């Protein structure tokens, strides 16, 4: 798939997600979330590779106490913000599903078709 054929769908302005913060979104009846680290946004499928449950413990709360790792609220698995790699927990060594995204005119947008086709991993 070439870059030009991707249909980008806007989620929010990049400034709406602060450094060390996360935000969840529903798009095409699928749940995804974005996190910002060192000024960069990363977007993942909200689906734990352990049992497929949503990761957050409250709305938009995806991070551990330190605010530096993504944490699954069900069994506590910890994932790196910058690549979704699981460092500890029942799914150690697995990865969150990365969602293709871009920033245009300051707005975070994701690959609409990729999100629509998300399912069980
Ligand atoms: S469902 Fe996420 S660690 Fe078990």
């Amino acid at each position: 798939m070439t870059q030009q054929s991707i249909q980008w769908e806007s989620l929010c302005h990049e400034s709406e997600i602060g450094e060390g913060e996360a935000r969840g979104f529903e798009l095409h009846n699928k749940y995804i979330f974005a996190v910002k680290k060192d000024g960069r946004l990363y977007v993942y499928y909200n689906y734990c590779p352990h049992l497929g449950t949503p990761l957050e413990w409250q709305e938009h709360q995806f991070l551990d106490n330190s605010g530096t790792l993504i944490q699954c609220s069900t069994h506590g698995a910890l994932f790196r913000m910058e690549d979704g790699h699981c460092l500890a927990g029942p799914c150690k060594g697995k990865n969150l599903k990365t969602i293709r995204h871009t920033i245009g005119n300051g707005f975070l947008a994701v690959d609409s078709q990729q999100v629509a086709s998300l399912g069980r991993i």
Side-chain angles (χ1 to χ4, degrees):
M1 180 182 284
T2 66
Q3 186 81 0
Q4 286 158 341
S5 65
I6 295 175
Q7 282 194 312
W8 298 111
E9 197 156 336
S10 182
L11 295 178
C12 69
H13 195 273
E14 62 172 337
S15 65
E16 292 178 59
I17 304 173
E19 178 66 26
E21 289 180 2
R23 183 157 168 189
F25 301 91
E26 184 182 353
L27 192 64
H28 305 299
N29 296 315
K30 305 290 166 53
Y31 295 93
I32 61 176
F33 69 101
V35 292
K36 188 181 268 183
K37 181 177 179 182
D38 297 329
R40 210 171 145 191
L41 283 163
Y42 303 90
V43 187
Y44 298 104
Y45 187 19
N46 184 4
Y47 185 100
C48 183
H50 177 213
L51 291 180
T53 61
L55 293 157
E56 77 271 42
W57 51 280
Q58 280 182 6
E59 193 177 17
H60 307 307
Q61 304 300 312
F62 290 85
L63 304 181
D64 70 345
N65 283 339
S66 71
T68 59
L69 292 166
I70 297 161
Q71 183 169 39
C72 173
S73 61
T74 309
H75 306 103
L78 294 166
F79 305 84
R80 278 195 299 246
M81 289 167 77
E82 60 269 43
D83 61 4
H85 187 71
C86 182
L87 300 172
C91 42
K92 185 175 177 184
K94 294 190 176 176
N95 294 284
L96 298 176
K97 174 92 176 154
T98 304
I99 305 299
R100 280 187 290 277
H101 60 282
T102 189
I103 307 282
N105 293 327
F107 283 87
L108 171 64
V110 292
D111 179 340
S112 181
Q113 285 173 304
Q114 184 195 13
V115 173
S117 66
L118 288 169
R120 290 195 62 81
I121 296 175

